[in-house]
Amino acid sequence: MDKLADLQKTLSKKDRVCSYDRLGEGASDRPDGLQNFADSGRILTAVLDRIAGDGPVVLAGHSLGGLIAARYAPDHQDRVKGLVLMDATTPTLTADISKVIPESATGQVAELRAQTLAVNEGQNPEKIVIADAEVRSAGSIPVEIIKHDKQYDSVPGYGPALERMWSEGQRRWRAISSRSTLGTAAGSGHYVYVDRPDLAVRAVQRVTAQAAGHGSRPTR
């Protein structure tokens, strides 16, 4: 949550903004066992009930947070009226990275493959299993997808293929809405909101304005 403090401070000048630490992160409790996306969804619902009641919201998420938001929105179209996905984890990362980096790989690339698969199996602070799934539609809500400019350029031999994999995953997120857009944050690595906070702020403000055009102003 601390990483998003500057972004939240800027956005809160015009709108009500809330961020939270998921279980296993920051000041939140440690999870007792493995979690799945249904568990993260229940926690997000509880947070939204507390801060927004039954009012409309725009969700903005980075990396795994973006994936959680994108999984949540299709089942909560009565509440989620817009999305901003900042270099969100791709919808089928386990299958994708297994295809790009073969099991026979060695060295740094093999470590990247093994680490990614382990994290997706729940070996992460949140103990959340990051399961592959196809993109489901959340209707026609406004969605802005922002992908990094460069992230894998230092991976020997596999950098270009990994970038293509990630870019294709970001394009697939467009299926979440008939009003989705995809852009690249020039000069940014994975942490888009740190490297290009200007783009992150404008994206959230645009989506919020579009969502507010269909009802009361949402809380993010």
Side-chain angles (χ1 to χ4, degrees):
M1 187 168 65
D2 290 343
K3 294 179 180 178
L4 290 166
D6 289 342
L7 181 66
Q8 181 171 338
K9 182 178 180 180
T10 300
L11 291 169
S12 65
K13 294 175 182 178
K14 299 179 68 175
D15 293 290
R16 187 181 181 196
V17 185
C18 174
S19 58
Y20 71 104
D21 291 327
R22 298 187 299 268
L23 283 182
E25 298 288 353
S28 290
D29 294 337
R30 307 300 99 176
D32 294 329
L34 290 178
Q35 298 188 85
N36 56 34
F37 285 115
D39 297 322
S40 64
R42 283 191 289 271
I43 293 171
L44 178 53
T45 293
V47 171
L48 295 179
D49 285 346
R50 179 74 176 268
I51 66 165
D54 59 358
V57 299
V58 166
L59 298 180
H62 165 259
S63 197
L64 177 57
L67 175 59
I68 290 172
R71 293 272 195 261
Y72 184 86
D75 294 325
H76 299 85
Q77 296 181 46
D78 58 329
R79 165 176 270 174
V80 180
K81 301 304 179 182
L83 286 172
V84 177
L85 307 180
M86 293 175 279
D87 222 33
T89 300
T90 59
T92 55
L93 181 58
T94 294
D96 295 343
I97 202 159
S98 297
K99 182 178 179 180
V100 172
I101 302 178
E103 194 172 359
S104 59
T106 59
Q108 177 185 344
V109 178
E111 292 177 8
L112 174 61
R113 183 185 193 274
Q115 181 183 48
T116 301
L117 296 181
V119 166
N120 288 2
E121 291 168 358
Q123 296 181 40
N124 55 71
E126 300 177 45
K127 295 184 180 179
I128 185 170
V129 177
I130 307 169
D132 288 353
E134 293 304 312
V135 178
R136 293 183 297 132
S137 174
S140 60
I141 63 173
V143 178
E144 290 209 20
I145 303 156
I146 310 172
K147 73 178 186 71
H148 68 250
D149 188 6
K150 293 182 179 180
Q151 178 178 341
Y152 297 108
D153 53 340
S154 63
V155 180
Y158 289 86
L162 288 167
E163 288 294 352
R164 288 193 296 271
M165 174 204 78
W166 193 265
S167 294
E168 175 57 28
Q170 301 307 301
R171 282 192 291 272
R172 281 157 55 202
W173 279 128
R174 292 204 60 185
I176 201 167
S177 172
S178 59
R179 295 172 61 199
S180 65
T181 63
L182 169 62
T184 300
S188 172
H190 183 50
Y191 289 89
V192 172
Y193 62 90
V194 173
D195 297 334
R196 292 300 308 273
D198 55 322
L199 294 182
V201 167
R202 289 200 296 269
V204 174
Q205 290 176 337
R206 278 194 300 267
V207 169
T208 299
Q210 292 169 34
H214 296 273
S216 58
R217 173 167 291 194
T219 297
R220 286 185 298 278

